[in-house]
Amino acid sequence: MKVLHFLDSLNRGGAETIALDVCRNAAAFGIDLTIVTTKGGTMLDEFAASGAEFIKLERRFPVDFKLVKNLRRIINEREIKITQGYQAVECLHLYLAARKLKNVKVVMSHQGFIVGKKNHLTARFLAPRIDANITVSKGLLPWLETELGIDPGKNFHLIYNCADEKRLAPSGNSIKKELDLDKNFLLLGMVANFHAAPTKDPLTVCRALVKVFAEHKNSHFLFVGKVMAGGEKRFEECRRFCRANGIGERVHFLGARTDVADILNELDLFVFSSLAEGLPISIAEAMLTKTPVIASNIPPLVEASGNGEYAEIFEVKNADDLAENILKLLNDKNLRDNLAEKAYFFAQENYSIEAHLKKLKTLYEKLLNE
């Protein structure tokens, strides 16, 4: 089965990490994968060494017809039958490249919150015209319907985001050692970038930590993630709050890291506070490293937790509720361990790379047989 995935940029992010995991494992599931990029990025070398055929093209304009022509050439030369993009701009070029080509299917993966009016319009145009749309959670569908005006009852398929357990194996690096923390310290953390858009909610975490740290003197918190363009205000707001409330030395803003697997394997508790999501890869990564999870009660995160069975859920924006949930788990190691163990097997079944590729191949086969 010959498939092409197109990613405009290869800068480290959730969609790119998932795509890289797919590239590394596609052949084992009978998928002959070609990956195309235009901008490259920080993950370029990893994609080039992933085992999938790797091609870099140029995009000079928002809609570049030379790029469309090159994509069409690649599709024809390699006898590609399935094409997939992770953003509207990628899928628009694939849609134009595949037009009038016999039996070439176009798939768009809806990863979550879509930013920008042009992207909204493009996604709304493409969704009913392409062969299949992938949603990464049921909880994302109402947002697509109300915010974008997309009918989620038409050609939509549920395939959860995933993580490759092999990638999450610890390498031996220790974040506690790097921060000069005793091995007996309790370590909590959140993996998410600071965005301009009101999606992630790290400030509620900071507010909850005042109460948590007052009870647990040997606990520290890690924010792992870079500050995106426009996210500087949210980042500084969190730092100012921590300093003003006397917890600045126990809250560490680590920025972008390439050793997330090592960090997750050292956490005693993973916290994910968010206002809008698809289904974040970091939830899957935490569960697959047997790290107990606490998440806000927005629909996609409730869904990711198995309706609260495999993660503790707190009321969104409610710092007191979050603090109580954190303290409940920190005060009971058996409760943490049991929650993490249950979540691990749940994640293996639903969020592993194997589960993802099985469902993806089933969708591709269905499209080819139509």
Side-chain angles (χ1 to χ4, degrees):
M1 180 185 298
K2 296 189 176 182
V3 178
L4 183 149
H5 282 197
F6 176 32
L7 290 100
D8 191 42
S9 168
L10 299 182
N11 286 317
R12 198 169 300 278
E16 292 78 13
T17 301
I18 293 163
L20 181 59
D21 284 348
V22 169
C23 287
R24 288 169 170 167
N25 292 275
F29 287 80
I31 298 174
D32 184 1
L33 185 61
T34 297
I35 190 83
V36 175
T37 186
T38 50
K39 295 179 181 176
T42 57
M43 299 177 74
L44 188 146
D45 291 342
E46 293 171 88
F47 274 92
S50 67
E53 182 185 21
F54 180 78
I55 300 173
K56 189 173 185 301
L57 301 175
E58 287 187 354
R59 178 164 74 92
R60 297 172 297 171
F61 308 105
V63 180
D64 191 324
F65 288 97
K66 184 177 180 180
L67 172 59
V68 170
K69 182 179 179 181
N70 283 327
L71 286 169
R72 184 187 290 259
R73 173 181 54 80
I74 291 168
I75 290 168
N76 281 325
E77 288 177 354
R78 287 157 179 78
E79 299 180 335
I80 301 288
K81 294 302 180 186
I82 300 285
T83 68
Q84 180 175 332
Y86 293 79
Q87 296 183 47
V89 67
E90 299 159 0
C91 290
L92 178 60
H93 285 86
L94 292 174
Y95 171 75
L96 294 172
R99 288 191 70 188
K100 298 182 180 179
L101 294 182
K102 188 176 180 181
N103 296 327
V104 176
K105 309 296 183 179
V106 180
V107 179
M108 177 161 59
S109 178
H110 297 267
Q111 292 291 314
F113 189 76
I114 300 173
V115 178
K117 187 174 181 180
K118 289 183 180 179
N119 290 327
H120 284 200
L121 293 172
T122 305
R124 187 184 306 162
F125 169 80
L126 286 171
R129 291 173 171 82
I130 59 176
D131 299 283
N133 293 272
I134 293 173
T135 179
V136 297
S137 68
K138 296 175 185 175
L140 179 60
L141 293 175
W143 184 87
L144 292 172
E145 185 173 21
T146 57
E147 296 296 323
L148 297 191
I150 294 173
D151 182 356
K154 294 183 178 179
N155 70 352
F156 267 79
H157 306 265
L158 174 65
I159 301 180
Y160 288 129
N161 280 339
C162 65
D164 185 356
E165 200 171 340
K166 298 187 295 295
R167 175 174 57 79
L168 298 173
S171 70
N173 292 331
S174 171
I175 190 64
K176 286 186 178 180
K177 185 176 181 180
E178 179 182 324
L179 297 174
D180 197 26
L181 299 177
D182 186 271
K183 64 179 182 180
N184 294 319
F185 271 70
L186 291 169
L187 206 55
L188 299 77
M190 175 171 166
V191 180
N193 294 328
F194 287 83
H195 290 275
T199 52
K200 306 299 184 289
D201 183 25
L203 186 59
T204 293
V205 178
C206 297
R207 287 173 173 154
L209 290 176
V210 176
K211 184 175 183 179
V212 172
F213 286 169
E215 184 167 331
H216 281 273
K217 306 296 184 183
N218 66 332
S219 57
H220 282 242
F221 196 95
L222 313 177
F223 281 107
V224 182
K226 63 183 176 181
V227 181
M228 307 294 287
E232 296 85 359
K233 182 179 178 180
R234 298 181 190 281
F235 172 71
E236 288 301 332
E237 186 178 29
C238 288
R239 291 222 303 180
R240 283 197 303 270
F241 178 91
C242 292
R243 288 196 296 264
N245 287 273
I247 61 172
E249 293 185 356
R250 296 168 66 184
V251 179
H252 308 272
F253 296 89
L254 301 182
R257 303 282 297 211
T258 59
D259 58 346
V260 171
D262 288 307
I263 292 171
L264 287 173
N265 277 281
E266 269 194 292
L267 291 184
D268 295 284
L269 196 58
F270 181 83
V271 180
F272 200 83
S273 179
S274 183
L275 307 176
E277 289 295 332
L279 194 144
I281 184 177
S282 55
I283 293 283
E285 291 176 335
M287 288 181 172
L288 288 168
T289 55
K290 294 188 178 181
T291 307
V293 173
I294 295 178
S296 46
N297 66 344
I298 60 173
L301 297 187
V302 173
E303 182 180 349
S305 73
N307 292 318
E309 186 175 352
Y310 304 103
E312 290 292 330
I313 299 297
F314 71 94
E315 184 182 5
V316 66
K317 285 191 171 184
N318 189 331
D320 289 335
D321 191 34
L322 174 56
E324 290 301 321
N325 276 278
I326 291 174
L327 289 170
K328 179 174 73 173
L329 288 174
L330 289 186
N331 292 335
D332 191 338
K333 187 177 186 305
N334 286 333
L335 182 60
R336 293 201 308 271
D337 291 345
N338 290 336
L339 182 62
E341 190 73 14
K342 288 195 306 180
Y344 172 71
F345 291 109
F346 175 72
Q348 278 192 320
E349 185 176 344
N350 292 279
Y351 309 138
S352 65
I353 185 63
E354 292 81 9
H356 182 87
L357 279 167
K358 284 177 184 176
K359 290 183 179 180
L360 198 61
K361 187 177 181 182
T362 297
L363 172 59
Y364 288 167
E365 289 173 339
K366 178 178 181 292
L367 293 175
L368 293 176
N369 289 329
E370 288 178 348

